[in-house]
Amino acid sequence: MSRTRRTEAADDPELVHRLSRRNMLGVAAGATAAALLGAAAPAAAAGTTASPGHGHGRPVLPPGRLGIQLYSLRDKVSTLGFAAVFAELRKYGYDEVEFAGYSQGSAGPISLAQLKRLTRDHGLRPIGSHVGYYASDPAAYTFAQNLDRVLDDAAALGLPHIGTASGPWRYGDTVDGWKRCAEDFNRYGAAARKRGMKFYQHNHSEEFSFASDRPDVRLYDVLLAETDPDLVHLEMDIFWAYVGQYRYSVRPDGTPAPFDPLDYVLDQPDRYPLFHVKDGDRDDTAVPYGYRMTDVGDGDIDYRRFISAVNRTRHGRSAHHWQAEHDNPVDSLTFARRSSAHLHSLREKGR
């Protein structure tokens, strides 16, 4: 059964989020970048609230490893263009960017060569990109329909990682359905590896649900077991993983099945080159998923604990990339600035 048949989009904000980001495109600006950035300046200049974890120890965030998922800044990309947004991100201390589609800047359509040059000229590294998994249209820009074109474009941008934010629901929510998806992912991973790239899959919360035909089996475990660890990597969206913990720590029959998202990473750290750093206020009364999304540092997810633990794994400080994200920030540039400030402020305990 497909993901969209199992729940109506209007009642599922997670589904709405996934559908809305699949074809994120920038458009030409109607106003100048200078004018719009000027309007945003007061918010960007506002002070950042002190965050837990300030101190004199070694920074938790490894140097050169902070990125941002550009979906969070889609409003500014579409009005200001990439160059203006990249300039702001570099000022805020970002090192990398992850794409969610290759859109247009303020001067009109932008080529991949121009986009690569803009990224480099602003001191940023393009670290990865989200592309759809599959579609019914044979001409769709997805891994299933146009694998070679997807990889060609990633290679043109010099991306070391290329992946999908679409869940493995192509063949339903059974164990066999997810095994078939794993076969697809192994094939995409092998093709990406031949180009010198890593293929990855980004989770939402329902990957941690249970198979409809085997309610004792967590679907995420099927994905991990059936994919080749040398070919298929994971980008853990930490916020959605904690939502998954909230929603799926009990099996359908009521049997407890607790898990900690961090344990998945510590068990196979080499499989997680990328992370989405997204925060949320814990609220199990007013929101159906247990967390209300916030700017990084304003929520209850302990990123000092999480990143420090990953840093202690083999090659931990050099093998992972941390991408800040917020699906719908109140002001996207303010979100970017405050999230960077918080993550850079975190210090390891006892150092």
Side-chain angles (χ1 to χ4, degrees):
M1 184 181 298
S2 71
R3 171 72 181 94
T4 52
R5 288 177 59 190
R6 287 189 294 127
T7 182
E8 293 297 325
D11 298 322
D12 189 342
E14 182 177 349
L15 176 58
V16 171
H17 156 65
R18 294 208 300 274
L19 293 175
S20 68
R21 76 181 294 168
R22 283 180 184 169
N23 297 306
M24 192 272 284
L25 296 173
V27 296
T32 66
L36 287 171
L37 280 175
T48 302
T49 302
S51 304
H54 287 195
H56 303 290
R58 182 170 64 167
V60 167
L61 187 70
R65 293 289 166 148
L66 180 61
I68 193 165
Q69 167 51 253
L70 290 173
Y71 180 76
S72 304
L73 295 154
R74 59 196 181 279
D75 61 327
K76 296 299 190 292
V77 171
S78 68
T79 54
L80 305 179
F82 279 111
V85 170
F86 288 169
E88 291 299 297
L89 292 177
R90 193 58 183 158
K91 285 196 300 184
Y92 300 159
Y94 286 93
D95 310 292
E96 303 171 336
V97 291
E98 182 186 30
F99 295 99
Y102 315 124
S103 62
Q104 297 173 332
S106 59
I110 185 169
S111 70
L112 294 178
Q114 290 171 319
L115 188 55
K116 180 180 180 180
R117 185 167 58 252
L118 274 178
T119 310
R120 180 195 62 208
D121 289 349
H122 287 88
L124 298 168
R125 291 187 300 274
I127 194 65
S129 182
H130 286 181
V131 176
Y133 169 18
Y134 68 95
S136 58
D137 179 2
Y141 189 78
T142 65
F143 283 95
Q145 277 67 42
N146 278 289
L147 178 61
D148 287 340
R149 183 183 167 199
V150 167
L151 297 180
D152 286 345
D153 289 349
L157 279 167
L159 299 179
H161 308 87
I162 183 69
T164 180
S166 304
W169 307 103
R170 184 181 186 183
Y171 308 110
D173 56 6
T174 64
V175 170
D176 284 343
W178 275 54
K179 286 182 177 181
R180 291 179 65 188
C181 286
E183 292 175 1
D184 286 348
F185 285 6
N186 284 331
R187 181 164 56 86
Y188 307 153
R193 187 177 184 179
K194 289 180 180 178
R195 306 285 197 101
M197 291 176 276
K198 291 181 179 179
F199 170 81
Y200 64 94
Q201 194 266 337
H202 166 284
N203 65 275
H204 293 86
S205 70
E206 286 209 345
E207 281 87 340
F208 298 96
S209 65
F210 299 95
S212 60
D213 60 333
R214 288 283 308 278
D216 60 325
V217 175
R218 196 181 302 279
L219 288 169
Y220 196 70
D221 295 338
V222 176
L223 180 68
L224 288 171
E226 297 295 327
T227 51
D228 186 331
D230 292 328
L231 301 178
V232 178
H233 298 83
L234 293 308
E235 176 181 62
M236 178 174 280
D237 186 305
I238 299 168
F239 171 87
W240 287 121
Y242 277 100
V243 172
Q245 180 191 55
Y246 172 81
R247 298 179 70 191
Y248 302 113
S249 284
V250 177
R251 296 190 180 93
D253 65 359
T255 304
F259 72 94
D260 185 338
L262 179 59
D263 288 342
Y264 276 105
V265 181
L266 299 183
D267 186 52
Q268 299 186 63
D270 292 343
R271 297 201 74 176
Y272 292 88
L274 305 174
F275 294 90
H276 274 190
V277 180
K278 186 185 299 181
D279 212 345
D281 282 326
R282 180 63 185 266
D283 186 346
D284 55 7
T285 60
V287 290
Y289 288 168
Y291 288 87
R292 179 179 288 103
M293 200 174 295
T294 68
D295 290 354
V296 180
D298 289 345
D300 296 319
I301 297 177
D302 188 347
Y303 275 109
R304 179 170 64 177
R305 167 184 174 264
F306 196 104
I307 299 175
S308 294
V310 175
N311 286 343
R312 290 191 292 270
T313 62
R314 186 171 65 96
H315 308 307
R317 293 185 68 89
S318 61
H320 307 282
H321 305 262
W322 306 91
Q323 315 296 306
E325 187 184 35
H326 191 309
D327 295 352
N328 294 291
V330 174
D331 181 276
S332 58
L333 288 176
T334 299
F335 153 75
R337 176 186 58 78
R338 296 184 74 249
S339 298
S340 174
H342 173 73
L343 291 168
H344 279 106
S345 79
L346 298 178
R347 295 293 183 270
E348 293 182 351
K349 292 181 179 180
R351 288 183 179 270

